[in-house]
Amino acid sequence: MAEPSVPVKKAARTFDLQAMMNQARLGAQERSNIDWTNEIEKTKEENELRITEMKIKADEASKKIQSSTNNNNINDGDDDDDFGPSIDLATAPTNDNEDTSSDDEDEDTSKPVEEDNDRLDDDEQPFFPLTHEIDLKHGTKSVSCLTIDSNGERLISGGFDYELKMWDFPTMDKTLKYYRAISPCESHQLRSIEFSPGSDMLLIASGSCQAKVISRDGKNMYECVRGDMYLIDMQKTKGHVSTLNRACWNPKDLNEFMTCSDDGTVRLWSLIRRTEHASCIKTKSEQGKKTSTTTCTYNTYHTHVTQNEYLITAGCDDGSIQIWDRRRPFVNVTFISRHAHEPENSITSLCWSYDGRNLASRSTDHTLKLWDIRNFKKSLSEYNDLHNRFSMTNVTFSPDDRFLITGTSTRKKTNDNINDSTNVGAIYFFNRNNLAQPEGQIQVSDAASVVKTLWHPKLNQIMCTTSNGIIKIFYDTIRSKQGALLFANREERQKKANDFFINMNIINPHALPLYRQDRVRNLSVIRMKNREDPVKSKRPDLPVSGAGSGGRIGVHGGTLSSYIVKNIALQKPPAQKEDSRAILLSYQEKCEQEPYWVAPAYSKTQPQAIFQSSTQDTNQKKEDDDDDDDIVPLWKKQKT
């Protein structure tokens, strides 16, 4: 039998720190003695070899490309009008289908060509999403503002009823109720509303002189400073002093926006700078006087024409269009068309095309014009007989930049035009290349004018506002996306039992006084008790008698007028004024007999003073004698 092994105790391992330090020191010395020059030379040689290999491959690829282009040029030499790969190359037979005949190949290749031609013809034809429409009821007055976010989920409208209403498309149904209504500018008409480029803020220009920035849900975030109306130079004021006409965001700088006003200025603002404007531009007439600025717009969201990226455009009340370059001082105008529209007719809208080449203008002279700033003296094309009597009527480009749309106003009905079929509110569509004839039109209302128009690029839906408080949305069920399609056929949500909260009264006669509830009594009894309570009945304060109490002053002197009347009534009549001269002369004899101060020093040299006896004696003497040599008193007759 083997004896059990005795457990061996493990000894702790010991380390010689001094030896470890010496070993590390020797290793560092060896590494420092290594010659790194050889390794650097090796890496250089490897990099040079890689570069040469890459050059050889690039030369071979360029030779292959040149040879292929030469072959194509030889094959295409017969038909100069053809372009692209030849039909034979595009439909070359493979090993799998070598047995197919050449006639079948020709028939197969001809079919896609015809289909492509049909597609091109369809694209060239104008298409407008006008198959269906929906009416949103904003109110009874004119709707002057309209904007929608970039995603097409929330529509904002504002009008002459001072209200701003939000329409949330994802949550709407057939009832067509708005999401929220606010009055951001109190009792001022809303003239311009625009979403920020990030769709998180709203810029509002109203009939006041202060623009506002609110959040997406209506919370106040920024308000412009009011200017000093008593200063003549508008450059010295910190803000506008007259009614605002237009406000728009800078599409590139999310913290900057621009406003224009009737005070003849265009001002640039920054959300970071709250005390005053960032820049001020003054618009002047042909005579050098200030003229009201009716509209303004940026051109920085157009990226195709780089020289037009920094332009600020403004339309004035004298019919002129003025453009400034931000890279230069705003003292002088960069481009100007002094007689763009008829004088004394304000320009209601300016809109740049998406490619940044052309500018469209709409005015109260009932015209629509298209401009090119390279030849700004004369318009490219124009169309007349577009009646406009609203200062907010705008013009917009289509998403594909091929068409322009604008609304028309109704004329005042008289005996001459009461049966005129053209006296209606309509939307006109124009081809950008030629405004001589409209591509089409659609009647919106018989008796109301079209004020604002909008063509959303993502939704492909046309929206417009009218002067009778209606917002119309035109769409196509096939080519339009989301927007009105979300709620057009959505049924109204049925209310469930959980939506109602019923306050049930639990009657427990044996409950403790702390948890006992009052019994519901008759409504007439509750009203009688509330009528006796001065707080709940809101009883007016009784008149105070006496000196007053509780911070209220008595009846006499409660107001400023009563206080003044009280003091006048209680004031004693002033005593008869005394004659100060007579009082001083009463001390004459005493001073002559007992001089005290200066008189003794001049007693011998001082001449004898002769004083007038009194004013009463002279007045009597004047009445008796009418001679001019009488002594006249040295002061006016005192009032009694």
Side-chain angles (χ1 to χ4, degrees), residues 64-127:
K64 289 180 180 179
I65 293 170
Q66 289 178 0
S67 61
S68 61
T69 53
N70 292 330
N71 293 330
N72 292 332
N73 292 330
I74 293 169
N75 295 328
D76 297 339
D78 298 334
D79 298 328
D80 296 335
D81 297 335
D82 297 336
F83 58 91
S86 62
I87 297 175
D88 297 335
L89 293 175
T91 60
T94 58
N95 296 327
D96 297 336
N97 56 1
E98 288 180 357
D99 296 336
T100 58
S101 61
S102 61
D103 297 335
D104 297 334
E105 291 176 359
D106 295 337
E107 292 176 1
D108 295 337
T109 54
S110 62
K111 290 181 181 178
V113 174
E114 293 177 358
E115 292 177 0
D116 294 339
N117 293 332
D118 294 338
R119 290 176 185 174
L120 291 173
D121 294 339
D122 293 338
D123 293 338
E124 291 176 357
Q125 293 178 358
F127 171 77

Side-chain angles (χ1 to χ4, degrees), residues 585-628:
L585 291 176
S586 63
Y587 293 95
Q588 181 180 2
E589 296 180 358
K590 187 176 180 181
C591 292
E592 289 178 354
Q593 295 176 2
E594 299 178 0
Y596 185 76
W597 294 108
V598 183
Y602 300 96
S603 58
K604 296 181 180 180
T605 59
Q606 189 71 12
Q608 185 177 1
I610 300 174
F611 297 100
Q612 187 176 354
S613 59
S614 66
T615 56
Q616 296 179 358
D617 297 340
T618 55
N619 290 335
Q620 292 177 359
K621 193 173 182 181
K622 187 176 181 180
E623 292 176 359
D624 297 339
D625 302 332
D626 296 334
D627 299 337
D628 297 336

Side-chain angles (χ1 to χ4, degrees), residues 291-398:
T291 178
S292 300
T293 311
T294 56
T295 184
C296 59
T297 183
Y298 282 98
N299 192 31
T300 51
Y301 56 87
H302 309 300
T303 58
H304 300 283
V305 183
T306 56
Q307 62 268 23
N308 295 350
E309 287 185 0
Y310 303 95
L311 299 182
I312 293 176
T313 312
C316 301
D317 199 13
D318 60 348
S320 64
I321 301 175
Q322 304 180 19
I323 303 176
W324 295 267
D325 193 341
R326 299 193 62 169
R327 296 168 293 183
R328 303 176 183 177
F330 293 135
V331 179
N332 298 322
V333 181
T334 307
F335 303 100
I336 186 171
S337 178
R338 183 61 68 182
H339 303 287
H341 291 270
E342 293 184 4
E344 299 181 0
N345 285 278
S346 60
I347 298 174
T348 60
S349 177
L350 292 172
C351 183
W352 285 92
S353 59
Y354 288 99
D355 58 7
R357 301 179 188 275
N358 300 119
L359 176 68
S361 63
R362 186 82 163 92
S363 175
T364 53
D365 61 357
H366 319 308
T367 60
L368 172 65
K369 295 185 179 182
L370 191 67
W371 305 86
D372 189 348
I373 59 174
R374 292 173 295 184
N375 185 14
F376 209 32
K377 294 182 179 180
K378 185 179 180 181
S379 61
L380 296 177
S381 59
E382 63 178 279
Y383 186 80
N384 301 320
D385 198 16
L386 291 172
H387 192 70
N388 178 18
R389 57 188 179 90
F390 283 89
S391 60
M392 290 77 65
T393 304
N394 68 331
V395 57
T396 57
F397 280 88
S398 62

Side-chain angles (χ1 to χ4, degrees), residues 164-178:
L164 181 147
K165 293 186 178 180
M166 305 178 183
W167 311 82
D168 199 1
F169 291 161
T171 59
M172 288 176 63
D173 51 26
K174 281 186 175 182
T175 57
L176 305 178
K177 293 182 179 179
Y178 52 85

